[in-house]
Amino acid sequence: MTDLLPPRPFGPTGIPVSAVGFGAWAIGGSWGAADDGVSARALERALDRGVTFFDTADVYGDGRSERLVGRICRGKPGVLIATKAGPRLPKQTVDGYTRENLSAWIDRSRRNLGMDTLDLLQLHCPPTDLYRTGRVFAILEDFVGEGRLRGYGVSVETIEEARLALDRPGVRSIQIIFNLFRQRPAEDLFPLARKRGVAIIARVPLASGLLAGNIAADTRFAPDDHRNFNLRGQAFDVGETFSGVPLEAGLAAVEALRPLVPRGTTMARFALRWILMHPEVTTVIPGCRTPEQVDENVGALGVPPIGADAMARCRALYDDRIRPHVHGRW
Ligand SMILES: NC(=O)c1ccc[n+]([C@@H]2O[C@H](COP(=O)([O-])OP(=O)(O)OC[C@H]3O[C@@H](n4cnc5c(N)ncnc54)[C@H](OP(=O)(O)O)[C@@H]3O)[C@@H](O)[C@H]2O)c1
């Protein structure tokens, strides 16, 4: 029996959060049909299993995800709810991040979540140039002073954006894609993040489900699932769908990974445990739609550490098969 991985301190706040959190995009929309009853049970199961970090955004189902997360999770002991703002802009420009717009987005999230003070507001993949000006961060500081936010962080697409964000002293957390198919942050970001003491939120940990090992070449996704409509980045950054790895290459790499998964462990748990082998990661946020997925993903907390040999083979597999598709891009 392995000890469960303990909660990890959330950046400069030091507040402990569960090492496995809950990603609440799919319960809002863009992943095919969602059933609010099932989603609510998934959130309740997560609370029962000790999950204390929930990640949502104002645009997930246009507020549906925030309303569900707020209804089920707000006010629960030790729970930290992170939301995001920005993509309500019709076009992403730095100039669109005005005080008025930010204020309106934040107040809408406060209403959706039913919280006077948001625990954590993340800028939701804003344009890279936004990080080069202090203007937006000064506005966020004002909102903290007014008690509308407890703190703020950023959700980024690229290492470059993450590194720029580290220069903003008020930034508490960086959310970035980090998984077996996106290994670059471990070398080019984590050492700096550790020095700066910011929290790292690892998103898309299962490469949109690919790394759970149940997707096959003939798997069909609903028309309103981004794994159907965003395969070439038609709607948003293609890196958010299967981590930006072409499906055929991803499926072949998953098959090559299977022999590394220890007997008695599932592929999903192995993929999440690999992420948690990196102490800089504060919390990993698999997208969960059902109580069963919650149970499965929280189970990663009980998986023994992955040995050095298997870690090296995961790295070699990435270098051989995945790196050419993603490393230079994000
Ligand atoms: N720009 C941003 O800031 C941004 C972008 C993307 C994601 N995020 C955040 O990160 C979270 C996680 O990323 P993600 O949801 O895109 O991708 P993910 O966690 O890699 O994949 C989630 C999907 O994998 C499948 N899955 C989950 N657990 C499973 C299990 N145990 N076994 C088999 N399949 C499982 C589910 O799809 P099926 O049920 O259909 O199989 C689920 O919707 C999001 O929910 C969101 O909170 C943020």
Side-chain angles (χ1 to χ4, degrees), residues 42-63:
L43 289 164
E44 281 159 0
R45 181 68 59 85
L47 290 170
D48 287 348
R49 296 291 308 264
V51 171
T52 58
F53 188 84
F54 294 82
D55 179 76
T56 180
D58 57 357
V59 287
Y60 295 166
D62 199 22

Side-chain angles (χ1 to χ4, degrees), residues 50-297:
V51 171
T52 58
F53 188 84
F54 294 82
D55 179 76
T56 180
D58 57 357
V59 287
Y60 295 166
D62 199 22
R64 181 186 189 186
S65 171
E66 282 189 331
R67 288 190 291 274
L68 273 163
V69 171
R71 177 160 65 83
I72 309 289
C73 303
R74 70 170 166 259
K76 294 290 189 302
V79 162
L80 196 160
I81 299 174
T83 192
K84 312 188 199 79
R88 298 190 74 72
L89 277 177
K91 188 170 181 304
Q92 283 293 307
T93 61
V94 179
D95 289 347
Y97 285 73
T98 61
R99 183 178 294 270
E100 292 67 32
N101 281 340
L102 283 158
S103 178
W105 299 331
I106 286 168
D107 286 347
R108 183 173 177 276
S109 289
R110 292 163 70 216
R111 285 194 298 278
N112 282 340
L113 285 162
M115 298 166 75
D116 285 340
T117 306
L118 298 181
D119 291 337
L120 184 79
L121 187 275
Q122 302 161 99
L123 298 175
H124 197 166
C125 298
T128 309
D129 277 344
L130 181 139
Y131 297 103
R132 299 198 168 92
T133 147
R135 181 179 61 78
V136 171
F137 297 94
I139 295 169
L140 293 176
E141 285 296 337
D142 289 345
F143 293 156
V144 172
E146 292 165 12
R148 287 199 271 175
L149 306 181
R150 193 153 286 125
Y152 59 87
V154 297
S155 182
V156 300
E157 296 290 6
T158 64
I159 301 267
E160 181 196 7
E161 291 166 353
R163 293 172 71 136
L164 288 167
L166 286 174
D167 288 337
R168 302 290 161 196
V171 167
R172 288 183 175 182
S173 59
I174 293 183
Q175 182 179 138
I176 191 161
I177 299 182
F178 180 59
N179 62 40
L180 279 157
F181 289 174
R182 278 288 190 99
Q183 300 199 14
R184 191 175 154 205
E187 63 201 45
D188 288 345
L189 175 62
F190 291 175
L192 298 170
R194 180 198 286 256
K195 216 181 281 174
R196 181 54 172 73
V198 298
I200 294 284
I201 302 163
R203 79 164 179 268
V204 195
L206 298 173
S208 314
L210 202 50
L211 285 166
N214 301 333
I215 294 176
D218 61 357
T219 303
R220 293 285 164 263
F221 299 102
D224 56 346
D225 186 323
H226 70 102
R227 294 170 293 183
N228 183 333
F229 69 74
N230 195 49
L231 281 173
R232 288 178 307 285
Q234 300 96 312
F236 42 79
D237 192 303
V238 70
E240 306 295 348
T241 302
F242 297 131
S243 286
V245 177
L247 193 51
E248 205 177 320
L251 287 169
V254 165
E255 290 316 310
L257 275 169
R258 275 190 209 282
L260 301 181
V261 179
R263 195 188 296 268
T265 298
T266 61
M267 183 111 195
R269 289 180 181 180
F270 180 78
L272 298 174
R273 187 65 178 91
W274 179 88
I275 292 170
L276 292 171
M277 289 299 291
H278 300 81
E280 296 86 354
V281 172
T282 310
T283 185
V284 54
I285 49 167
C288 300
R289 283 135 77 87
T290 64
E292 292 73 25
Q293 286 179 346
V294 169
D295 283 336
E296 172 62 19
N297 295 335

